[in-house]
Amino acid sequence: MIRIIPKPTDTPDDNSTAMVIRELKQMGADFSLLDLDAIDPLAAEVSGDLIWVCGMKQDIHQFECLDVLSFENLVINPPDAIATCASKVKTTALLLKNGVSSPETLFTASHDLAAAFLARHGQAVIKPVYGYDGIGVCLIKDEAELGEAPYYLQEYVPNDRDYRVFVIEGEAVGAICRQSPHLTHNIHQGGTGTPVEVSAEMQEAAGGAARAVGAAYCGVDLLETPDGYTVLEVNGTPNWHCMAAPIPRLLAEHLVEKEREFRKNGE
């Protein structure tokens, strides 16, 4: 069976979970919803299933619950990948370790180191370590804007757009160009999305990022530079707004295939 953890931010007008469920129904797949807040994972009531995390709360209980469930179930995305993507610091570290291009980044609790980074670049993008939808992302130019530690700072790459690439099993299956008049181009921050073809360079950058964080599927945010694409972030429970590719169908097919493989290997 496919157990589905619904995205907590779904709305009637923007319901990612329902989009994939519709495709699963058309495929005749066996599935049910799973509420992490209503079970005891230690009781082993859920076992031998595929669990798809469309979305989850960023809290200790849900992460711990998912970790325990992964012992006896196949969880997509894996708990480690979801936790990695939730942390900009760990994501950046893995991108660098695996040779994936990313803007120069500093993470420190030292005000002096942060001030020196800012002075060297003249300006920098400051981001919350744990965040989503571009909330709390700001361009700063003065040491007084640093606020309280810890500091996650990235060099500012001049741009008027970015690219969200949807990746399944290392393959970039869809992409949009996101544009806005301000720093962040997220759709939830007022950006507009236009479908674009996935180039070989996008595939290389996005696929490399997905492999670096261990995600079965993800949304990779790219910036275009004179030297190619650089990776800003990797989202382990991504949306697919504005994409021309049939992402819900592709995800449903992926889940059905992985559930079949998991069940066969367990027999």
Side-chain angles (χ1 to χ4, degrees), residues 2-8 10 16-17 20 24 32-34 36 50-58 62-63 65-67 69-70 73-83 166 216-218 235-240 251 254-255:
I2 297 173
R3 307 267 189 168
I4 299 172
I5 300 173
K7 188 182 289 290
D10 279 339
S16 300
T17 310
V20 177
L24 289 171
S32 67
L33 296 180
L34 177 62
L36 291 179
L50 180 145
I51 298 173
W52 173 50
V53 188
C54 186
M56 61 185 293
K57 302 173 187 175
Q58 288 190 1
Q62 293 213 343
F63 275 117
C65 193
L66 200 62
D67 255 338
L69 289 173
S70 70
N73 300 275
L74 174 62
V75 180
I76 297 178
N77 269 316
D80 285 350
I82 293 175
F166 204 96
Y217 78 99
C218 57
N235 192 312
T237 55
N239 289 312
W240 50 84
L251 265 178
H254 177 69
L255 296 175

Side-chain angles (χ1 to χ4, degrees), residues 165-215:
V165 184
F166 204 96
V167 180
I168 300 178
E169 287 289 301
E171 180 185 357
V173 297
I176 58 170
C177 173
R178 304 187 299 190
Q179 293 179 276
S180 73
H182 43 75
L183 178 65
T184 60
H185 307 303
N186 303 67
I187 303 299
H188 282 114
Q189 294 293 326
T192 59
T194 305
V196 294
E197 293 292 327
V198 177
S199 67
E201 293 80 9
M202 282 182 177
Q203 166 63 54
E204 181 178 4
R211 288 188 290 273
V213 302

